[in-house]
Amino acid sequence: MDQWINGPMHKINLSEKLSLIHDHWNPRVAGELNGQLIKLVKFEGPFTWHHHENEDEMFLVVKGRFRMDYRENGNERAEWIEPGEFIIVPRGLEHRPFAEEECEILLFEPASTLNTGNVEDEFTRKTLERI
Ligand code: NI
């Protein structure tokens, strides 16, 4: 990640970077600052229910929309996140993103954050490519 230690040398165009992504649920690293990563990812369909012990996660919708499902004390609730909107999911809270159609997302979270949190399954990506 050394190339970002002193900040970006060139501006990043989100649409341009996202156009290079042709799969789903596979985040790419587009920047790093203060131990946190800016990731770009495309969602489609349901993801895995999970939580993160130590990390809060930010999801910003660039294009499309997705629903974030939450489970807390046996209750479920859901919220649609639209383009230009973001949510922060606090650590410890069980969540699952779901997109009816392809959706383009910017994530901002600590470098230690694993996409499937406490769960390991076919969606888990331990090593992320830079984009
Ligand atoms: Ni998560």
Side-chain angles (χ1 to χ4, degrees), residues 91-130:
R91 65 195 70 188
L93 179 60
E94 208 69 25
H95 59 283
R96 176 187 65 175
F98 168 78
E100 279 177 344
E101 292 173 17
E102 187 176 83
C103 177
E104 301 184 349
I105 305 289
L106 181 149
L107 301 168
F108 183 57
E109 57 195 20
S112 59
T113 312
L114 183 65
N115 63 335
T116 51
N118 62 315
V119 174
E120 203 169 317
D121 65 9
E122 70 274 16
F123 288 112
T124 303
R125 297 285 179 272
K126 290 188 175 176
T127 308
L128 305 184
E129 292 170 23
R130 297 182 202 179

Side-chain angles (χ1 to χ4, degrees), residues 25 27 36-41 43 47-61 66 68-70 79 81 85-97 105-119 123 125 128:
W25 308 114
Q36 309 236 91
L37 298 182
I38 307 237
K39 300 175 183 174
L40 298 176
V41 60
F43 289 174
F47 196 59
T48 303
W49 279 104
H50 67 279
H51 70 272
H52 307 268
E53 285 301 330
N54 302 306
E55 297 98 353
D56 307 321
E57 295 192 285
M58 191 202 82
F59 298 74
L60 168 73
V61 175
F66 79 101
M68 187 62 93
D69 298 334
Y70 301 101
E79 189 170 39
I81 319 301
E85 297 182 340
F86 72 84
I87 48 165
I88 296 171
V89 177
R91 65 195 70 188
L93 179 60
E94 208 69 25
H95 59 283
R96 176 187 65 175
I105 305 289
L106 181 149
L107 301 168
F108 183 57
E109 57 195 20
S112 59
T113 312
L114 183 65
N115 63 335
T116 51
N118 62 315
V119 174
F123 288 112
R125 297 285 179 272
L128 305 184

Side-chain angles (χ1 to χ4, degrees), residues 14-23 28 42 131:
L14 294 179
S15 305
E16 195 180 300
K17 292 292 187 191
L18 282 156
S19 75
L20 302 172
I21 298 178
H22 302 291
D23 54 11
R28 307 311 203 279
K42 289 185 178 177
I131 202 167

